[in-house]
Amino acid sequence: MATFLLEVGTEELPASFVSDALHQWQARIPAELAELALAPEAVRFYGTPRRLAVMLDGLPLRQIDRTEDVKGPPAQAAFKDGQPTKAAQGFAKSRGVDVSALEVRDTDKGSFVFVTQTIPGRAATDILTELIPQWIGGLEGKRFMRWGDGDLRFPRPIRWLVTLMDGEVLPLTIENGSLVCVSDRISQGHRVLHPAPVTLRRAQDYVEALRQAYVEIDPTARRLLIQRQVEETAKQLGGVPMISASLLDEVTNLVEWPNAVVGKFDPEFLELPPEVAIIEMESHQRYFPLKQSADGLALMPMFITISNGDPSKDAIIAEGNARVIRARLSDGKFFYDADRAQPLDAFVAKLETVTFEERLGSMTAKVQRIGAIADHLCDQLNLAAQPRQHIRRAAYLCKADLVTQMVGEFPELQGIMGQKYALHSGEPEAVATALAEHYLPKGAQDSLPQTLVGQVVGIADRLDTLVGIFSTGQLPTGSSDPFALRRAANAVLNIIWAAALPLNLARLLDTVVQDFAQDPALTVDAPDSLRNQLYDFFLQRVQTLLQDELGIDYDLVNAVIGERALADPLDVKDRALFLQAMRRSGRMEKVYETVNRATRLAAQGTLETQVLDPEGVIDPAALEAKAELAFFAALQTLLPQTQAAQASRNYDQLVAGLEQVAPVVSGFFDGPDSVLVMAEDPAVRQNRLNLLGLLRNHALVLGDFGAIVKG
């Protein structure tokens, strides 16, 4: 066993590429080594802005020898009258053995010639020499570049290469035109704190040798060190640090030897909305803002930055950072004051200059459509005059801040600045809040809008985008979803579910599609096809959300997915959760067999699935056996329970009724008074099939038990 080190040294890499490259290596290198029978005991991945590295601990020095049975031609072609033919001789020659080594074996496809060979294992060094260029050249990412006069592409120029098997250098060369990088045992330390080369005696010395040269090579250790420094520094300053995971990840791959530095800015900039200063510090400068307390967003006029420079120059670094943030915040204050010089609704007219999508017109047209869809939502929700008024106003203003100077400079602040400017303009608080909320959720882990106005405008905005983009034929495909339509549909459903909005999504889609088809500025060639595409898309999202986010078993989701799922999104969620609870409690077993057996036989009848009332479909005069009469009576008792469950979505009532019916149906099938369903008399047969069809239909109110997998 040996320890092998590969280090690829470069100019400063983009932070995102460091983590992406290490993830790619993590997925590739262990799998390839295992496939080649060279699996090490441990694989460690390291990376900084100037290097990518992998350490293989406990690596076998060579593959083990293995025996291999090689199949040749059919026996009848290989031998004739007991003598080898040219086919046998050619096969033996190709395998480097004498004909006498061949043997005939029987297989499922007849007799064939085989030869058993011992394949000697190859040395690990030979295999690594072949693999390493593939590992380096196989990395993928954005903005790869060529350098020098060669064709090699990499995010930044490769400057050195370390390949150590224990203490021996594995000879390897990377050529890039006239530039040649030859592997060695020489690495590089911190560019400022240790500019001298680092000579590695053994691969095992790598981590500690680099630490001595002021390079923390382990990204996990570096991340923890940065977090600890920020937290400790903030505590000394009496503040609370804002440490977002994404910023922490990015900063981790921007430095090799982290050093927390405190910077300050003028307190006058605290008059800005804190979101502006936070965006400036986090997104543009990679600073960690400081809050006055854990609650709220009140900031301190200072920040923490992580330097990769000389700690003795902290004061100079702090002043330089302060100069930069001062200029950025000055710009922000100018934009903020300029935007507030006029009311928010004054910006609405400028939306005509912004294109939403080439075939869907300007943002003005989109805002008008959002308002119309919001009206449809209000109608379905039967809202009173005041919330309708707030919703219409919020829909009118919801995109106005897009043409403000602040959002033009910082798009991340859309909605947030709309809320600030709306309040400054004297808009009702419900309207202002909705301007920020209608963008929620922005991501999978984001919060949902909490106010009715924000919920309605948010749904209307997303439905306009979904119907509009679908009408242009730009549907999501595979992993490609440039308009984030899956996220938009997920948001619509999650808002409906979280707010318990009693909406008929199918009818709403019908109405919006019809509006699009009637709009002379738009081109909707086949509204029926468009509507069906949207139905299918939303049903897929319902299925995904129920399975992936709510953890409902796939077969139970299949049992509730259908036409009703979009007509009543609240109901489909309730039924899926109820079925999952039934399975976990064991109640499913009490009715499963009975309902499924009835469903299979009922398929031979003609009863429509929506019929629940025995009146008119069962002829009492044709009921011959006691079991039939008992079944009929049980269905009459079940009817009000099912109707009550439908009205209240309390499906416990329905299942309780099915549990009471189950033994009666068992007697119908297998009891002492059991009957033959497929009787010769057509009237009797139809009666019995209708009894079973009615039971199936009552169960369908909850779900399709035929889609449920037993156990």
Side-chain angles (χ1 to χ4, degrees):
M1 298 292 186
T3 297
F4 176 74
L5 168 67
L6 165 66
E7 183 189 57
V8 181
T10 68
E11 298 293 342
E12 271 74 2
L13 294 164
S16 60
F17 178 75
V18 177
S19 57
D20 287 348
L22 294 184
H23 286 144
Q24 291 176 52
W25 274 5
Q26 287 167 357
R28 177 175 184 171
I29 292 176
E32 287 189 353
L33 293 174
E35 186 177 348
L36 293 167
L38 277 179
E41 294 175 354
V43 185
R44 309 178 201 282
F45 297 92
Y46 303 113
T48 77
R50 295 182 69 201
R51 70 203 78 218
L52 303 171
V54 57
M55 180 93 73
L56 308 176
D57 292 321
L59 179 71
L61 293 175
R62 63 182 307 108
Q63 297 170 316
I64 60 172
D65 297 342
R66 71 184 193 278
T67 59
E68 185 178 47
D69 289 335
V70 183
K71 182 181 177 183
Q76 63 181 12
F79 294 96
K80 186 174 183 180
D81 298 330
Q83 297 300 314
T85 65
K86 289 184 178 180
Q89 293 169 356
F91 174 62
K93 183 177 180 181
S94 70
R95 305 308 303 179
V97 299
D98 189 76
V99 175
S100 61
L102 304 181
E103 58 179 296
V104 177
R105 299 182 194 172
D106 292 331
T107 72
D108 294 340
K109 297 183 179 181
S111 297
F112 285 82
V113 170
F114 284 83
V115 62
T116 300
Q117 290 186 294
T118 299
I119 311 298
R122 298 177 62 200
T125 51
D126 294 339
I127 295 174
L128 288 171
T129 301
E130 298 172 359
L131 290 178
I132 289 171
Q134 299 174 27
W135 292 346
I136 298 172
L139 289 172
E140 299 177 350
K142 300 177 182 177
R143 295 184 291 277
F144 272 42
M145 61 181 290
R146 291 189 178 94
W147 73 96
D149 55 0
D151 294 327
L152 183 62
R153 295 171 60 86
F154 209 68
R156 295 294 183 270
I158 296 174
R159 295 306 189 198
W160 74 89
L161 194 64
V162 175
T163 52
L164 282 179
M165 181 73 80
D166 286 339
E168 299 296 324
V169 175
L170 176 66
L172 197 67
T173 301
I174 295 179
E175 297 185 4
N176 184 33
S178 61
L179 299 177
V180 178
C181 183
V182 180
S183 64
D184 205 334
R185 62 175 70 248
I186 299 175
S187 180
Q188 299 293 326
H190 192 280
R191 192 184 291 278
V192 175
L193 300 176
H194 194 286
V198 178
T199 301
L200 301 170
R201 187 172 62 87
R202 301 181 311 152
Q204 293 89 333
D205 300 338
Y206 180 61
V207 175
E208 188 55 35
L210 266 293
R211 282 182 182 148
Q212 293 297 321
Y214 298 99
V215 176
E216 176 49 74
I217 196 69
D218 185 346
T220 301
R222 206 163 58 247
R223 190 180 194 275
L224 290 172
L225 181 60
I226 292 170
Q227 183 172 350
R228 186 166 60 249
Q229 286 187 6
V230 171
E231 290 173 345
E232 291 176 352
T233 303
K235 186 176 181 180
Q236 294 170 7
L237 296 170
V240 176
M242 298 183 67
I243 306 177
S244 73
S246 58
L247 177 59
L248 185 57
D249 289 340
E250 183 177 10
V251 171
T252 296
N253 290 320
L254 287 173
V255 299
E256 293 195 317
W257 195 252
N259 174 49
V261 176
V262 178
K264 298 180 180 180
F265 58 86
D266 297 335
E268 66 177 280
F269 293 120
L270 294 178
E271 297 175 7
L272 281 169
E275 294 89 349
V276 175
I278 291 169
I279 286 289
E280 289 276 18
M281 288 187 273
E282 288 187 339
S283 299
H284 297 271
Q285 301 307 128
R286 280 73 177 178
Y287 301 162
F288 294 95
L290 290 177
K291 298 192 298 180
Q292 296 179 18
S293 64
D295 299 327
L297 283 179
L299 297 177
M300 298 176 68
M302 56 186 65
F303 56 87
I304 299 172
T305 184
I306 300 300
S307 167
N308 193 40
D310 186 348
S312 67
K313 304 292 194 299
D314 280 1
I316 298 174
I317 294 170
E319 179 53 35
N321 286 328
R323 255 196 325 271
V324 172
I325 197 64
R326 189 180 304 121
R328 298 287 297 183
L329 291 176
S330 294
D331 289 344
K333 189 174 187 305
F334 173 80
F335 298 146
Y336 186 56
D337 292 341
D339 289 340
R340 293 193 304 164
Q342 54 186 325
L344 181 61
D345 60 7
F347 291 95
V348 174
K350 298 179 183 178
L351 291 173
E352 187 62 39
T353 64
V354 181
T355 300
F356 168 56
E357 200 277 341
E358 184 178 0
R359 283 163 287 184
L360 299 174
S362 67
M363 289 301 299
T364 296
K366 179 175 176 61
V367 165
Q368 291 170 350
R369 294 194 300 267
I370 292 173
I373 297 170
D375 281 342
H376 296 320
L377 284 160
C378 290
D379 291 340
Q380 277 206 23
L381 295 171
N382 196 26
L383 297 183
Q386 187 175 57
R388 281 178 182 263
Q389 182 180 354
H390 287 160
I391 287 168
R392 288 190 181 117
R393 185 63 175 172
Y396 176 72
L397 295 173
C398 68
K399 304 301 178 184
D401 67 343
L402 295 182
V403 288
T404 63
Q405 294 189 60
M406 183 70 82
V407 176
E409 181 71 14
F410 308 117
E412 308 97 318
L413 292 174
Q414 64 181 9
I416 295 172
M417 297 315 301
Q419 180 182 21
K420 307 289 185 188
Y421 294 154
L423 291 173
H424 180 74
S425 302
E427 298 289 344
E429 186 172 347
V431 172
T433 300
L435 301 189
E437 282 194 335
H438 88 283
Y439 283 107
L440 301 177
K442 296 179 181 179
Q445 305 302 319
D446 205 358
S447 58
L448 296 168
Q450 299 300 303
T451 67
L452 178 62
V453 181
Q455 292 157 0
V456 169
V457 177
I459 291 173
D461 183 14
R462 290 171 174 88
L463 287 180
D464 174 73
T465 298
L466 284 157
V467 177
I469 299 301
F470 265 69
S471 74
T472 65
Q474 301 179 81
L475 282 63
T477 57
S479 60
S480 175
D481 188 6
F483 293 95
L485 300 183
R486 294 188 185 96
R487 188 171 68 196
N490 287 351
V492 169
L493 292 165
N494 279 323
I495 291 170
I496 291 173
W497 287 345
L501 299 176
L503 290 171
N504 185 326
L505 186 55
R507 190 166 74 235
L508 190 59
L509 288 171
D510 291 346
T511 304
V512 178
V513 168
Q514 193 61 36
D515 286 350
F516 267 73
Q518 294 174 354
D519 190 333
L522 304 174
T523 302
V524 179
D525 296 328
D528 290 344
S529 175
L530 173 59
R531 181 196 61 216
N532 291 337
Q533 287 177 333
L534 288 160
Y535 278 8
D536 291 343
F537 186 70
F538 267 100
L539 284 174
Q540 291 171 9
R541 304 327 303 159
V542 171
Q543 187 167 18
T544 299
L545 290 175
L546 291 177
Q547 288 181 210
D548 296 348
E549 292 194 7
L550 297 181
I552 310 296
D553 296 338
Y554 79 94
D555 59 324
L556 303 183
V557 174
N558 291 338
V560 299
I561 289 290
E563 295 180 6
R564 291 166 57 197
L566 298 185
D568 193 345
L570 294 179
D571 181 60
V572 71
K573 178 185 176 185
D574 287 349
R575 289 187 291 124
L577 289 169
F578 189 86
L579 284 172
Q580 188 75 57
M582 274 187 70
R583 170 169 283 170
R584 290 173 178 167
S585 68
R587 293 184 75 185
M588 185 78 71
E589 299 174 6
K590 298 178 181 179
V591 298
Y592 178 82
E593 289 293 349
T594 302
V595 172
N596 257 12
R597 190 172 179 182
T599 299
R600 289 194 300 270
L601 283 168
Q604 300 183 49
T606 58
L607 187 68
E608 296 291 336
T609 56
Q610 71 272 16
V611 179
L612 298 175
D613 193 344
E615 186 72 30
V617 296
I618 301 297
D619 180 6
L623 298 173
E624 299 178 339
K626 292 181 180 179
E628 288 179 298
L629 291 166
F631 197 168
F632 178 58
L635 288 172
Q636 290 177 311
T637 303
L638 179 60
L639 179 62
Q641 293 175 278
T642 302
Q643 291 172 332
Q646 284 180 308
S648 65
R649 298 210 304 271
N650 178 6
Y651 292 105
D652 187 71
Q653 298 176 6
L654 171 58
V655 173
L658 292 175
E659 289 171 341
Q660 293 170 355
V661 172
V664 177
V665 180
S666 295
F668 176 83
F669 283 130
D670 303 314
D673 297 316
S674 62
V675 301
L676 177 65
V677 175
M678 304 305 290
E680 291 186 9
D681 185 333
V684 173
R685 181 171 64 248
Q686 185 64 49
N687 233 21
R688 292 171 180 174
L689 287 172
N690 283 351
L691 286 170
L692 296 172
L694 286 167
L695 178 62
R696 173 202 61 196
N697 294 354
H698 281 268
L700 278 173
V701 170
L702 177 56
D704 179 6
F705 278 68
I708 298 174
V709 178
K710 184 178 180 180

